[in-house]
Structures are given as structure tokens and as C-alpha cells.
Amino acid sequence: NFWSAWQTLGSNASDDSTRNLVLQRGTELVNTIRQASDQLKDQADSINTDLKLNVQTVNRIASDILALNQKIAMAEVNAPGSANDLRDRRDLLVDELSDYVPVQVVEDRRGNYIIQSSNVTLVDAGRTTELTTAARRDADYGYETLAIQANGQDVEFTGGSLQGLVDMRDDGEFGIKGALNNLSTMSEFLMKDFNAIHRAGYGEDSSATDPAVGTGRNFFGENVNYYDKQEKNPADPDYMSKNDWLQALAVNPALLNQTTHPSGLQMIAAKTANTQGNASGDNAVKLSQALRMNVTDLLPETEDPADPAGTKYQPTLGATASLNSFYSGVIGTLGIQIASATRVVANQKTLVAQIENWRQSTCGVNMDEEMSDMIRFQKGYNATARLITTMDEMYDKLINSTGVVGR
């Protein structure tokens, strides 16, 4: 919609309703990016809540396993391997624990389970290691993050739902952090590259000069800040962090103010020269092109157009990419990630089902074998019953029917 508004302005630059549409579409774009950023940060908070609950669940399961270790050790003092019910309950808890963290289980000579995960002994014969969370702040965006710790040291697991939540939040390519990075890059493009092209044009007042700064007007952000000259050193007061680009993104308030002279609508730089009439929309066309094609040929040669020998202008998205191709790449990558995750989940479910079948074939109950045994035992019982009946009849005959002569 933003691109279409500039296209329309390029062919009808003197129409105030078309200029107003550009401002509306620009505001919509800003609101969409800002809203997406806020939603991602809210999702990070939700993940932190889930992390706390899952850590508590892991600690509870570990404590229950320790209690069963102690009960089993006491029950099997004189009869090793006899506490079958307790052992089954413990095995179920280990299965539940493995959903949250990868586990390695070793049984000692007294029947205790020693459970380790990522070099942390979660359970041994006499104690558990409690997992905790430590609050941090993301260095780029400032939202709260929680690190998982054991004995005061950060722990990274190689799998399980705990690490999955951490990766979903912190991964710079596939997680929330990666999505925020993409939004920040798009905001930086609009604040730097798009603004630079807009400043090179002229409004209906036939002037590119802003008295506050001495040159053209920004479309996004404040006129007092030329975002293409930002310092790379975080200690510099003009340094812009990734989050700063998101927070600063807004349509220039001067363009939204229609009570000034010239009005905000008149300040929109739709033409490329002050000698052109207000119907000219050459610069509006360039601005629409900036959204669909690489901006290298549309940008000024240097960061300061008045200084031809100054710092060369470096496009935010590189020498070949455009905002459209960048956004398409983000959406395409997201689709690939979804397809890959779906495929991995399906494969893992198949693998888990196969392993579960192997385990059940080893330690579970085979209904066919049990039925065969029941039939065999029933046949044996019937045969034994017939033998006892025959012996009873023989004794009855011997005792009651012999030696009666002479009575």
C-alpha cells in the first residue's frame, strides 16, 4: 500500500488527497512495524514465564526421583530388585524429565538412579541439584531474558523443551531476536536510505531547505536528525542501537501538521527540482522505486551531498538487495523454517514411536504370550484336578470297598 501510494503520487503530485494518502500509508507502515515489534517482545515475556514454570517442574521431578531412590534402596536391602512398583514409578518420572532436558541415567549398586544433564548431576543417591533462573536484559532490545543456572553458573542444554524455549527467544536467525533484527533493518532502511532520497527532492513550496538543519526534510523521524550519519561507536551520543531504529520510526511530525505554512502536505518532496511545477512527481517515482529496487543508483554519492569528497553513502541493505527483496527473503525463510520444523517433528515422532516399540518389546507385556501362558496354565490346572479326582476315587474305593468280608 505504501508503494502504491507513492506510485499514485508520482502521476498526480498536485492532488492533496493523494499526498494525504501517502501520509496515511506511511503511518500504517510504521504502526505495523511497531506493533510487530511489541508483539515479539510480549512473546519473549511469555517465554520467560514458561521457562520459570518448566524449571520448577524439572526441580519437582528431580525431587520425586530422589525420594523414590531412597524408598527403593530401603525396600531392597534384603531383596535386590524386588521393589517393582517403585521402580516403575521412577522410570515414568525419568521419561517425563526427558521431555524437558536430555538425561543420562546410571544405576548404582544400591539401585539409585544417578541422572546427569549437560554436565549437571540433577539427581544422585542423596541429593538433587536445583535449577534456577537469572534475570538479564537483552543487549539490543532491552526486554527481559532469563538464563537457566545450576549452582550459580549458566547452563546450556543440548535438547529438550527448556533449551527449545531459550532458542525460540534468543536465536539471532530463527528466534524472536532474529525477527526483531529483521524489523530493525527495515526501520533503518526507511530512516536512512528512504529519507536520503526524500531529502533530495522538493515540496510544493519549491524548497528543499529546512531552517532547523539547513537542508532537505525527512519523511520518517525528526528533521533535526540525519540518520544516515550515525556513529558506529556505542559510546557516541548519536549512536543508534537496533532497538533505537524501531523506537525512532515514525512519520515526520512536520508532515502531519497541516496548520503551518507551508503545510505538511506541501512539504512532501514529490519533485526533483525547484524549477518544476507542483504536478511533477519525479521524486515520488524515485521513492516508489526505492521500495522495489536497489537504491544504490538513487542515493546521493556521499552522506553529505554538499561535500562530494565526504564519506561514501553505503546502502543499508547492500549493493544489490532492495527492501522488497529483503522482505520477500524474510517471508521465504520463514516458510522454509516452518516446513523444516514440521518435517523434523514428524521424523522425531516416528523415531520416538519406534524406540518406544523396541522398549515395550523388551520390558513390556506381550498380550499374545500372556494369553498362551494362561491357556497353558489352565490346561495344567485341569490335568492336575483330574489327577486329584482320580486319586480321590481310588482311595475311596480302597478304604470303603475292600476288607468287608467277615463284618
Side-chain angles (χ1 to χ4, degrees), residues 149-356:
Q149 293 189 331
N151 298 319
Q153 301 295 321
D154 288 359
V155 179
E156 284 192 18
F157 298 101
T158 57
S161 63
L162 276 184
Q163 190 61 41
L165 288 171
V166 172
D167 291 342
M168 189 192 309
R169 184 194 63 201
D170 296 342
D171 192 284
E173 184 176 2
F174 304 118
I176 289 175
K177 184 69 172 287
L180 284 170
N181 287 342
N182 291 331
L183 291 177
S184 178
T185 299
M186 288 189 283
S187 299
E188 184 178 354
F189 170 86
L190 295 172
M191 301 284 285
K192 290 174 61 177
D193 300 23
F194 191 86
N195 271 350
I197 299 171
H198 187 268
R199 286 198 305 273
Y202 294 81
E204 287 187 334
D205 57 340
S206 296
S207 172
T209 301
D210 185 336
V213 292
T215 185
R217 305 178 180 102
N218 289 327
F219 186 86
F220 293 104
E222 301 282 351
N223 279 335
V224 296
N225 193 337
Y226 280 8
Y227 300 94
D228 54 336
K229 296 182 180 179
Q230 293 307 308
E231 297 291 336
K232 304 299 183 183
N233 182 6
D236 191 280
D238 289 332
Y239 173 77
M240 294 279 286
S241 70
K242 293 180 179 180
N243 192 52
D244 289 338
W245 292 114
L246 291 172
Q247 296 302 314
L249 182 64
V251 174
N252 188 342
L255 303 185
L256 298 173
N257 187 355
Q258 308 310 324
T259 63
T260 59
H261 181 75
S263 68
L265 291 179
Q266 292 175 316
M267 294 180 188
I268 296 175
K271 57 187 180 181
T272 55
N274 59 359
T275 57
Q276 293 175 325
N278 291 337
S280 175
D282 293 354
N283 202 54
V285 173
K286 289 177 64 177
L287 287 164
S288 68
Q289 292 174 339
L291 301 173
R292 288 294 184 95
M293 59 184 286
N294 182 262
V295 297
T296 301
D297 295 333
L298 303 176
L299 289 169
E301 290 292 326
T302 61
E303 290 184 355
D304 184 0
D307 182 13
T311 304
K312 296 295 184 182
Y313 204 107
Q314 299 297 324
T316 301
L317 302 177
T320 58
S322 66
L323 182 62
N324 183 63
S325 66
F326 178 81
Y327 179 76
S328 298
V330 169
I331 298 302
T333 300
L334 181 61
I336 293 173
Q337 291 170 2
I338 293 173
S340 177
T342 302
R343 183 175 62 255
V344 169
V345 168
N347 292 340
Q348 290 298 315
K349 284 183 176 179
T350 301
L351 180 60
V352 169
Q354 185 177 11
I355 293 174
E356 182 65 22

Side-chain angles (χ1 to χ4, degrees), residues 9 20 43 69 77 89 100 102 118 209 227 252 271 285 313 317 320 395 404:
L9 184 62
N20 189 57
Q43 185 63 35
N69 271 349
V77 169
R89 287 168 54 191
Y100 296 94
S118 296
T209 301
Y227 300 94
N252 188 342
K271 57 187 180 181
V285 173
Y313 204 107
L317 302 177
T320 58
Y395 282 122
V404 297

